[in-house]
Amino acid sequence: QSVLTQPPSASGTPGQRVTISCSGSRSNIGSNTVNWYQQLPGTAPKLLIYSNDQRPSGVPDRFSGSKSGTSASLAISGLRSEDEADYYCAAWDDSLNGRGVFGGGTKLTVL
Amino acid sequence: EVQLVESGGGVVKPGGSLRLSCAASGFSSSSYRMNWVRQAPGKGLEWVSSISSSATYIYYADSVKGRFTISRDNAKNSLYLQMNSLRAEDTALYYCARDRVGSMAYDYWGQGTLVTVSS
C-alpha cells in the first residue's frame, strides 16, 4: 500500500484531456512539493513536473500540475498515443525522520 | 552531457551482500542530493535512500533500514549502496537519481542495475 494514492488506471482518446489524481496527507503533500514522473515501457522514469507545477525544459506544455491541500493532480491535454505510459507522483514525507514516497502509479491508456 | 551509470548488480543468495555503484559525469555530484530508487519486476517505484550533498543527512526507507548503507565519494563523483542481509523482496532494478531541488525532483536517472536475490 503506497503512502500516496493514485488510481491504478486512466484512459482517454487522442485529443482529449485527462487528469490523474494523487492523494496524500499533511506530512507529505500537505507540507512539501509534488513531482510527477512518466515511465515508458522498459525505460527509466522521466521527470515531468516538479515543485507542484513546474515543467523541466523539453516537457511539452500539454502537461500541467497542480496541488491543493493534501492532493495533487497531473493534467494532460491534447492526448497523444505516445503519452501511453505509467505516471507516478512523488513527494518528501516529514514523518519517520524523513523519507521519500511515491504513488502506486497510474497506467494511462490512449484508446 | 549529464550521465548516471549504475553497476554492481547481479544474482545473490538470501542473506548475501552486494555493493552498487553509480558513476556520475557531466556535472559535479557534490552539489546535489543523490538517491537510490528501486522497481521490482512489474511493480511501481519505491524510494530506497537519499544522501545530502555533503553526506550530512542520510535517509532510508523502513524496508532497508539497518541493512543498506548509502555513501558517496564526491572526489570520484560517485554514489554507492552497500546492501547486506539481502532478501527475496529486495529483487529489483535499482536506479540512482539526481535531485535537482532537494525534494524528490529527480531530473536525471541512470539506466538501472538489476539485483536478483534467489537461492
Side-chain angles (χ1 to χ4, degrees):
Chain A
Q1 188 114 3
S2 302
V3 174
L4 303 181
T5 302
Q6 298 179 234
S9 63
S11 63
T13 56
Q16 263 192 332
R17 181 178 187 270
V18 297
T19 61
I20 297 172
S21 61
C22 176
S23 177
S25 65
R26 190 164 52 184
S27 64
N28 41 68
I29 294 179
S31 304
N32 297 291
T33 56
V34 178
N35 309 287
W36 289 90
Y37 297 90
Q38 177 193 60
Q39 187 175 33
L40 298 170
T43 69
K46 170 188 172 183
L47 182 64
L48 212 53
I49 298 288
Y50 70 97
S51 296
N52 302 328
D53 57 8
Q54 301 299 301
R55 279 187 310 276
S57 62
V59 174
D61 60 6
R62 301 187 296 106
F63 295 91
S64 62
S66 64
K67 176 184 131 173
S68 178
T70 59
S71 294
S73 291
L74 172 70
I76 309 172
S77 60
L79 198 62
R80 304 174 69 161
S81 58
E82 56 260 41
D83 298 333
E84 188 161 292
D86 294 323
Y87 293 84
Y88 297 90
C89 58
W92 193 251
D93 189 297
D94 294 332
S95 65
L96 302 176
N97 297 315
R99 58 176 179 166
V101 290
F102 282 98
T106 298
K107 169 67 179 173
L108 175 64
T109 301
V110 181
L111 302 169
Chain B
E1 180 194 4
V2 172
Q3 275 198 313
L4 296 170
V5 179
E6 303 95 336
S7 60
V11 181
V12 62
K13 288 181 167 53
S17 298
L18 274 179
R19 188 193 194 210
L20 306 185
S21 299
C22 173
S25 60
F27 73 103
S28 175
S29 64
S30 63
S31 299
Y32 295 87
R33 177 184 286 198
M34 297 298 293
N35 313 271
W36 290 100
V37 175
R38 69 185 180 183
Q39 188 169 33
K43 302 296 184 182
L45 301 175
E46 181 186 12
W47 172 83
V48 173
S49 183
S50 295
I51 184 168
S52 63
S53 56
S54 57
T56 304
Y57 302 101
I58 288 176
Y59 307 92
Y60 297 102
D62 281 351
S63 57
V64 307
K65 199 172 294 184
R67 301 186 299 121
F68 290 10
T69 302
I70 191 172
S71 62
R72 64 191 301 161
D73 185 336
N74 287 338
K76 294 183 178 179
N77 235 15
S78 293
L79 175 72
Y80 307 101
L81 187 68
Q82 177 66 43
M83 305 187 297
N84 299 331
S85 304
L86 283 161
R87 306 166 179 166
E89 55 264 36
D90 295 319
T91 294
L93 188 62
Y94 285 73
Y95 294 102
C96 75
R98 184 183 89 166
D99 194 330
R100 69 175 284 164
V101 295
S103 189
M104 286 196 78
Y106 300 158
D107 59 349
Y108 285 94
W109 297 65
Q111 83 289 351
T113 186
L114 183 62
V115 172
T116 303
V117 184
S118 173
S119 54

